[in-house]
Amino acid sequence: MKKFLSVLASLLLVCGPAAAETAWVMCDGYVNIRDMPGKKSQAVGFLDPGDSFETDGIIKNGFVQAQIGEGGENWIFAGYVTNEKPERVDERYVCTAKRRVACRRWIDGPQIRGKVGWLYNGTNVRVYWRTGEWSVTSRGYVRSEWLEADPE
């Protein structure tokens, strides 16, 4: 998430606060749209994986400000947001890494604990959504570079 937050921050510095950028939701379910930047704030709606929204790049408490419809100021958890349009996949992939690879709770987020927190060379997973950098899998978020389509 640090890399994504730095990309959004650099867009804000280069473009200024008035320039809106398109962002996309990438998760295995839906993402709440909140009225304030916090987990305990009121959910006022939701977005599905692959949905897009406009953002000016303002980030508070790990939430990115979203411009959705006529709703005014809305917030979405930044860990489920990408600046690249995700592709719907829903296919089996295999891990091709030479070392173990961490499965994450969200984009660039903390590692999932326990045995399911790692993929090893040859491990099969189902990939639901994918961008150039990240994949949403049956085991969590994994960097796309370590996954290839399973030929079987």
Side-chain angles (χ1 to χ4, degrees):
M1 179 154 59
K2 291 177 187 173
K3 183 176 180 182
F4 175 73
L5 295 178
S6 66
V7 168
L8 280 179
S10 64
L11 285 172
L12 188 59
L13 289 173
V14 172
C15 301
E21 295 289 325
T22 301
W24 287 268
V25 173
M26 192 168 100
C27 61
D28 61 352
Y30 64 89
V31 173
N32 285 320
I33 302 167
R34 300 198 177 269
D35 63 350
M36 299 291 291
K39 290 188 279 187
K40 295 182 180 178
S41 64
Q42 178 72 34
V44 295
F46 65 91
L47 292 175
D48 290 315
D51 285 350
S52 66
F53 63 93
E54 297 298 310
T55 180
D56 54 11
I58 295 174
I59 298 171
K60 291 183 184 175
N61 300 330
F63 286 75
V64 62
Q65 190 173 21
Q67 301 163 6
I68 301 170
E70 305 294 323
E73 186 176 292
N74 297 290
W75 299 87
I76 297 173
F77 180 62
Y80 300 134
V81 173
T82 179
N83 56 358
E84 195 176 336
K85 184 176 181 177
E87 169 191 5
R88 177 77 169 139
V89 180
D90 201 13
E91 294 176 4
R92 285 176 36 135
Y93 276 64
V94 64
C95 179
T96 59
K98 301 295 183 216
R99 57 182 171 79
R100 65 185 185 175
V101 174
C103 300
R104 310 245 173 225
R105 294 192 182 281
W106 53 77
I107 296 171
D108 224 7
Q111 181 184 346
I112 296 172
R113 295 181 185 246
K115 289 183 180 180
V116 296
W118 297 105
L119 291 183
Y120 297 89
N121 187 296
T123 304
N124 287 305
V125 292
R126 180 155 297 276
V127 173
Y128 303 110
W129 290 90
R130 185 176 170 103
T131 66
E133 190 172 359
W134 288 97
S135 292
V136 179
T137 76
S138 53
R139 300 270 294 268
Y141 289 76
V142 176
R143 291 197 176 273
S144 295
E145 67 187 292
W146 304 120
L147 300 171
E148 287 184 12
D150 190 356
E152 293 181 15

